[in-house]
Amino acid sequence: MKEKLQAILQEALTATQSVQTQQEAEELKVRYLGKKGELTAILKQMGSLSAEERPVVGQMANEVRAQIETAVREKLEIIKEKAIEQKLAAEALDITMPGKSNKQGRLHPLNTVLDDLIDIFQSMGFDVVDGPEVETDYYNFEALNVPADHPARDMQDTFYLGENLLLRTQTSAAQIRTMKKRKPPIRIICPGRVFRADEVDATHSPVFHQVEGLVVDKGITMCDLKGTLEQFAHEIYGPETKVKFRPSFFPFTEPSVEVDVSCSECGGKGCRVCKGSGWIEILGAGMVHPHVLSECGIDPEEYSGFAFGIGLDRLTTTRYKISDIRLLFENDIRFLEQF
Ligand code: PHE
């Protein structure tokens, strides 16, 4: 029996040496020391030994067990260390490698100008509201004092989507939606895309952007309109900018004006940006027509207001000296990267 124990010890130690993985080590432990292991099998035969031999063999068996356990434990430690070394080697960073640069996104120039514009009007107490791009005839025309047979419909070539549905030709539809929802005092702007069946050229696009403004309260006059829009022009173009109010016509405002600013490029002498006139037209405006107020349930005897519609694309092309409006819509990275 002593020989058997010796043989098992030798065998186990040799086997331990060739173990490569943690799993193999565990298996080996079970094979020799487990409940059905070889050492256990021998110990079960102890009963056949004499009373003198039993403690001697018992002690020897314990030593064999201890030696095998130690050998396996040491092997396991080596395996674990190797695994860690391998992992470290595999994950090592080569800090001399050139870095990967991430392309940085940036705001579209239209958004940069719009953000400025929103800042300016918010600081004057305006809320920003949103409106649908698909509108009904009622909000886009009829409630704005443009009945079905009104010649003013010819001012804007409309994309119709059906009998009553259309792509809004102006953000002015937001005036009606706001006045039907809110009670005065009202002070809002509504930026958004508008659509007109225009031929495409350097200054026209079938989709472009407006920012509508509306103020309704007791005692609002043309002075409020002038002061607000002058302030706006000075903040956008600089305090030395001249602002000109020209009489104009819109069915939903009375009186109506168009507003020009002195060309920031040439200071009014005339250049390519202002097409030689020295002035750049940036918006239409006027006092809200009494018909429009009453249509929205606001008493024109008690309240008055002014509205304006700013051409965002024009503001952007003149600020950045962009010669062709189409560049704003083509999303050519080489163009957009310049802002
Ligand atoms: N909606 C007009 C246009 O598109 C602009 C405008 C808005 C005029 C508000 C007056 C008041 O031309």
Side-chain angles (χ1 to χ4, degrees):
M1 227 169 160
K2 284 185 191 165
E3 282 90 70
K4 268 197 192 162
L5 281 173
Q6 273 305 325
I8 287 179
L9 177 60
Q10 281 318 316
E11 209 190 297
L13 291 182
T14 319
T16 311
Q17 270 170 18
S18 57
V19 158
Q20 304 277 5
T21 66
Q22 197 169 342
Q23 196 191 350
E24 277 172 18
E26 300 293 351
E27 280 168 10
L28 191 125
K29 215 166 143 184
V30 172
R31 175 139 53 92
Y32 290 101
L33 310 176
K35 271 189 190 150
K36 292 179 183 157
E38 296 189 21
L39 191 64
T40 320
I42 297 218
L43 292 178
K44 279 183 185 151
Q45 296 165 21
M46 293 267 281
S48 64
L49 295 176
S50 66
E52 297 89 61
E53 273 181 319
R54 222 177 280 161
V56 182
V57 173
Q59 196 190 349
M60 190 174 167
N62 282 339
E63 274 163 18
V64 167
R65 165 178 288 274
Q67 278 192 49
I68 296 177
E69 271 175 355
T70 310
V72 173
R73 192 181 335 111
E74 280 171 4
K75 189 72 191 184
L76 265 174
E77 257 159 41
I78 293 171
I79 289 172
K80 276 187 194 152
E81 258 168 43
K82 260 200 195 147
I84 290 175
E85 264 167 37
Q86 269 173 7
K87 201 172 171 214
L88 284 178
E91 289 176 358
L93 287 180
D94 179 356
I95 56 170
T96 64
M97 290 231 305
K100 276 188 212 159
S101 67
N102 284 325
K103 284 224 168 191
Q104 209 179 2
R106 57 196 81 204
L107 284 181
H108 192 284
L110 280 171
N111 282 98
T112 307
V113 176
L114 177 58
D115 283 353
D116 288 355
L117 204 143
I118 288 176
D119 276 350
I120 294 170
F121 281 106
Q122 273 182 336
S123 75
M124 294 194 236
F126 285 71
D127 283 348
V128 181
V129 303
D130 200 12
E133 291 177 350
V134 174
E135 264 299 0
T136 62
D137 184 276
Y138 175 78
Y139 285 105
N140 195 81
F141 288 125
E142 210 180 310
L144 286 163
N145 207 24
V146 189
D149 53 357
H150 197 286
R153 291 211 176 196
D154 292 345
M155 287 166 77
Q156 302 171 359
D157 279 324
T158 310
F159 288 113
Y160 282 94
L161 303 175
E163 181 94 346
N164 274 315
L165 279 186
L166 45 82
L167 294 177
R168 68 177 172 197
T169 60
Q170 47 188 356
T171 45
S172 301
Q175 290 184 34
I176 307 301
R177 290 190 175 271
T178 305
M179 284 190 278
K180 292 207 173 218
K181 251 192 287 196
R182 300 190 182 190
K183 293 283 142 257
I186 292 170
R187 242 181 299 176
I188 57 102
I189 55 170
C190 173
R193 288 198 292 184
V194 297
F195 308 83
R196 288 184 202 176
D198 275 336
E199 290 295 335
V200 181
D201 63 26
T203 53
H204 293 88
S205 161
V207 44
F208 56 103
H209 300 80
Q210 292 185 331
V211 180
E212 193 77 11
L214 174 70
V215 172
V216 182
D217 203 351
K218 287 182 179 151
I220 298 290
T221 69
M222 196 80 182
C223 276
D224 298 297
L225 178 154
K226 270 194 84 181
T228 306
L229 295 177
E230 257 167 11
Q231 171 78 10
F232 158 72
H234 286 155
E235 293 207 32
I236 281 276
Y237 286 102
E240 66 293 338
T241 304
K242 292 198 228 68
V243 185
K244 181 163 77 176
F245 291 80
R246 274 184 294 112
S248 184
F249 171 80
F250 299 103
F252 36 90
T253 49
E254 180 60 32
S256 304
V257 290
E258 274 171 309
V259 177
D260 302 339
V261 292
S262 55
C263 176
S264 52
E265 178 66 7
C266 60
K269 281 191 229 81
C271 69
R272 217 166 41 97
V273 175
C274 57
K275 294 198 184 118
S277 73
W279 296 94
I280 295 169
E281 184 193 321
I282 57 164
L283 62 88
M287 301 305 294
V288 180
H289 198 291
H291 286 178
V292 176
L293 290 174
S294 8
E295 178 67 32
C296 299
I298 294 173
D299 182 359
E301 296 296 326
E302 197 180 349
Y303 291 100
S304 55
F306 68 88
F308 54 89
I310 300 169
L312 185 62
D313 312 271
R314 176 69 70 84
L315 231 56
T316 307
T317 52
T318 53
R319 175 192 291 191
Y320 293 113
K321 302 186 188 68
I322 297 167
S323 54
D324 191 322
I325 191 178
R326 284 170 286 197
L327 288 165
L328 292 177
F329 304 107
E330 283 166 355
N331 283 334
D332 185 331
I333 293 282
R334 291 166 301 179
F335 167 74
L336 294 175
E337 265 173 354
Q338 299 171 43
F339 301 94

